[in-house]
Short mmCIF file of all heavy atoms in Angstrom, two decimals:
data_model
loop_
_atom_site.label_atom_id
_atom_site.label_comp_id
_atom_site.label_asym_id
_atom_site.label_seq_id
_atom_site.Cartn_x
_atom_site.Cartn_y
_atom_site.Cartn_z
N ALA A 271 127.92 37.68 113.76
CA ALA A 271 127.61 38.57 114.88
C ALA A 271 128.41 39.86 114.71
O ALA A 271 129.63 39.81 114.69
CB ALA A 271 127.96 37.92 116.21
N ASP A 370 127.04 57.86 91.21
CA ASP A 370 125.92 58.15 90.30
C ASP A 370 124.59 58.33 91.02
O ASP A 370 123.62 58.78 90.46
CB ASP A 370 125.78 57.00 89.28
CG ASP A 370 125.70 55.65 89.97
OD1 ASP A 370 126.59 55.34 90.80
OD2 ASP A 370 124.75 54.91 89.70
N ASP A 463 119.05 50.24 121.64
CA ASP A 463 118.25 51.12 122.52
C ASP A 463 118.11 52.47 121.85
O ASP A 463 119.09 53.20 121.74
CB ASP A 463 118.95 51.24 123.88
CG ASP A 463 118.17 52.13 124.83
OD1 ASP A 463 117.06 52.59 124.47
OD2 ASP A 463 118.68 52.39 125.94
N ARG A 481 111.99 51.39 112.45
CA ARG A 481 111.31 50.77 111.32
C ARG A 481 111.46 49.25 111.28
O ARG A 481 111.05 48.60 110.32
CB ARG A 481 111.93 51.31 110.03
CG ARG A 481 111.16 52.45 109.38
CD ARG A 481 111.72 52.70 107.98
NE ARG A 481 112.88 51.87 107.67
CZ ARG A 481 114.02 52.35 107.23
NH1 ARG A 481 114.19 53.64 107.04
NH2 ARG A 481 115.02 51.55 106.93
N TYR A 598 146.24 53.73 115.92
CA TYR A 598 146.72 53.68 114.54
C TYR A 598 146.57 55.00 113.81
O TYR A 598 146.97 55.15 112.69
CB TYR A 598 146.04 52.56 113.76
CG TYR A 598 144.55 52.71 113.64
CD1 TYR A 598 144.02 53.54 112.69
CD2 TYR A 598 143.69 52.06 114.50
CE1 TYR A 598 142.66 53.72 112.56
CE2 TYR A 598 142.33 52.21 114.39
CZ TYR A 598 141.82 53.05 113.43
OH TYR A 598 140.48 53.23 113.33
N LEU A 641 158.98 63.23 90.69
CA LEU A 641 158.60 61.82 90.70
C LEU A 641 157.17 61.64 90.19
O LEU A 641 156.89 60.74 89.40
CB LEU A 641 158.71 61.27 92.13
CG LEU A 641 160.11 61.06 92.66
CD1 LEU A 641 160.07 60.65 94.11
CD2 LEU A 641 160.84 60.01 91.84
N TRP A 709 162.88 60.37 116.62
CA TRP A 709 162.09 60.63 117.84
C TRP A 709 162.96 60.63 119.08
O TRP A 709 162.67 61.30 120.05
CB TRP A 709 160.97 59.61 117.99
CG TRP A 709 159.86 59.84 117.01
CD1 TRP A 709 159.44 59.00 116.02
CD2 TRP A 709 159.02 61.00 116.92
NE1 TRP A 709 158.42 59.57 115.32
CE2 TRP A 709 158.14 60.79 115.84
CE3 TRP A 709 158.94 62.20 117.65
CZ2 TRP A 709 157.17 61.73 115.46
CZ3 TRP A 709 157.98 63.13 117.27
CH2 TRP A 709 157.13 62.89 116.19
N ASP A 712 164.14 64.01 119.42
CA ASP A 712 163.07 64.99 119.63
C ASP A 712 162.90 65.22 121.14
O ASP A 712 162.77 64.30 121.92
CB ASP A 712 161.76 64.44 119.06
CG ASP A 712 160.67 65.51 118.99
OD1 ASP A 712 160.32 66.06 120.06
OD2 ASP A 712 160.20 65.79 117.91
N ARG A 729 155.44 44.89 119.17
CA ARG A 729 154.94 43.83 120.03
C ARG A 729 153.67 43.22 119.45
O ARG A 729 153.48 42.02 119.43
CB ARG A 729 154.66 44.39 121.43
CG ARG A 729 155.48 43.73 122.53
CD ARG A 729 155.28 44.45 123.85
NE ARG A 729 155.98 45.72 123.90
CZ ARG A 729 155.55 46.77 124.56
NH1 ARG A 729 154.41 46.75 125.22
NH2 ARG A 729 156.27 47.88 124.58
N GLU A 735 151.30 36.05 111.69
CA GLU A 735 152.25 35.12 111.10
C GLU A 735 153.35 35.81 110.33
O GLU A 735 154.50 35.46 110.42
CB GLU A 735 151.51 34.18 110.15
CG GLU A 735 150.53 33.27 110.85
CD GLU A 735 150.81 31.82 110.52
OE1 GLU A 735 151.21 31.56 109.37
OE2 GLU A 735 150.63 30.96 111.43
N HIS A 765 130.09 60.74 124.85
CA HIS A 765 130.04 59.81 123.76
C HIS A 765 130.89 58.58 124.01
O HIS A 765 130.46 57.46 123.78
CB HIS A 765 130.46 60.46 122.45
CG HIS A 765 129.39 61.33 121.85
ND1 HIS A 765 129.33 62.68 122.13
CD2 HIS A 765 128.38 61.04 121.02
CE1 HIS A 765 128.28 63.18 121.48
NE2 HIS A 765 127.70 62.20 120.79
N LYS A 768 129.60 55.69 126.46
CA LYS A 768 128.51 54.75 126.19
C LYS A 768 129.00 53.33 126.32
O LYS A 768 130.05 52.97 125.81
CB LYS A 768 127.94 54.97 124.80
CG LYS A 768 126.57 54.32 124.67
CD LYS A 768 125.93 54.62 123.35
CE LYS A 768 126.63 53.84 122.25
NZ LYS A 768 125.74 53.61 121.11
N GLU A 771 130.27 51.71 132.74
CA GLU A 771 129.57 52.04 133.98
C GLU A 771 130.55 52.24 135.11
O GLU A 771 131.64 51.67 135.13
CB GLU A 771 128.56 50.96 134.33
CG GLU A 771 129.14 49.55 134.48
CD GLU A 771 128.06 48.51 134.77
OE1 GLU A 771 127.52 47.96 133.80
OE2 GLU A 771 127.77 48.26 135.95
N HIS A 787 124.22 71.34 123.45
CA HIS A 787 125.16 72.15 122.72
C HIS A 787 124.42 73.05 121.71
O HIS A 787 123.54 72.59 121.01
CB HIS A 787 126.17 71.28 121.98
CG HIS A 787 127.41 72.02 121.61
ND1 HIS A 787 127.47 72.82 120.49
CD2 HIS A 787 128.61 72.14 122.23
CE1 HIS A 787 128.68 73.38 120.45
NE2 HIS A 787 129.37 72.98 121.46
N LEU A 840 118.23 70.20 133.49
CA LEU A 840 118.11 70.22 134.95
C LEU A 840 116.65 70.34 135.37
O LEU A 840 116.19 69.72 136.32
CB LEU A 840 118.93 71.36 135.54
CG LEU A 840 120.45 71.21 135.39
CD1 LEU A 840 121.16 72.48 135.84
CD2 LEU A 840 120.95 70.01 136.20
N THR A 939 161.67 57.82 144.95
CA THR A 939 162.77 56.86 144.99
C THR A 939 163.09 56.33 143.62
O THR A 939 164.11 55.72 143.41
CB THR A 939 162.39 55.69 145.92
OG1 THR A 939 161.18 55.13 145.43
CG2 THR A 939 162.22 56.17 147.32
N ARG A 957 165.05 75.71 142.81
CA ARG A 957 164.82 76.76 141.84
C ARG A 957 165.82 76.68 140.72
O ARG A 957 167.01 76.49 140.96
CB ARG A 957 164.95 78.12 142.54
CG ARG A 957 163.71 78.97 142.39
CD ARG A 957 163.96 80.31 142.99
NE ARG A 957 163.92 81.29 141.91
CZ ARG A 957 163.79 82.58 142.15
NH1 ARG A 957 163.76 83.04 143.38
NH2 ARG A 957 163.74 83.40 141.13
N LYS A 965 153.14 65.45 130.91
CA LYS A 965 152.10 66.12 130.13
C LYS A 965 152.57 67.45 129.56
O LYS A 965 152.23 67.82 128.44
CB LYS A 965 150.87 66.32 131.02
CG LYS A 965 149.71 66.97 130.30
CD LYS A 965 148.46 66.91 131.14
CE LYS A 965 147.38 67.81 130.57
NZ LYS A 965 147.06 67.51 129.15
N PHE A 995 155.66 64.23 140.05
CA PHE A 995 155.19 64.10 138.68
C PHE A 995 156.26 64.54 137.66
O PHE A 995 156.06 64.46 136.46
CB PHE A 995 153.91 64.94 138.44
CG PHE A 995 152.65 64.13 138.58
CD1 PHE A 995 151.72 64.43 139.55
CD2 PHE A 995 152.43 63.04 137.74
CE1 PHE A 995 150.56 63.67 139.68
CE2 PHE A 995 151.28 62.28 137.86
CZ PHE A 995 150.34 62.58 138.83
#
Side-chain angles (χ1 to χ4, degrees):
Chain A
D370 53 307
D463 180 4
R481 262 191 356 232
Y598 62 81
L641 288 174
W709 287 117
D712 191 302
R729 240 173 285 148
E735 294 235 325
H765 282 92
K768 198 175 73 155
E771 57 182 90
H787 199 278
L840 293 172
T939 56
R957 236 185 115 164
K965 182 170 168 55
F995 265 118

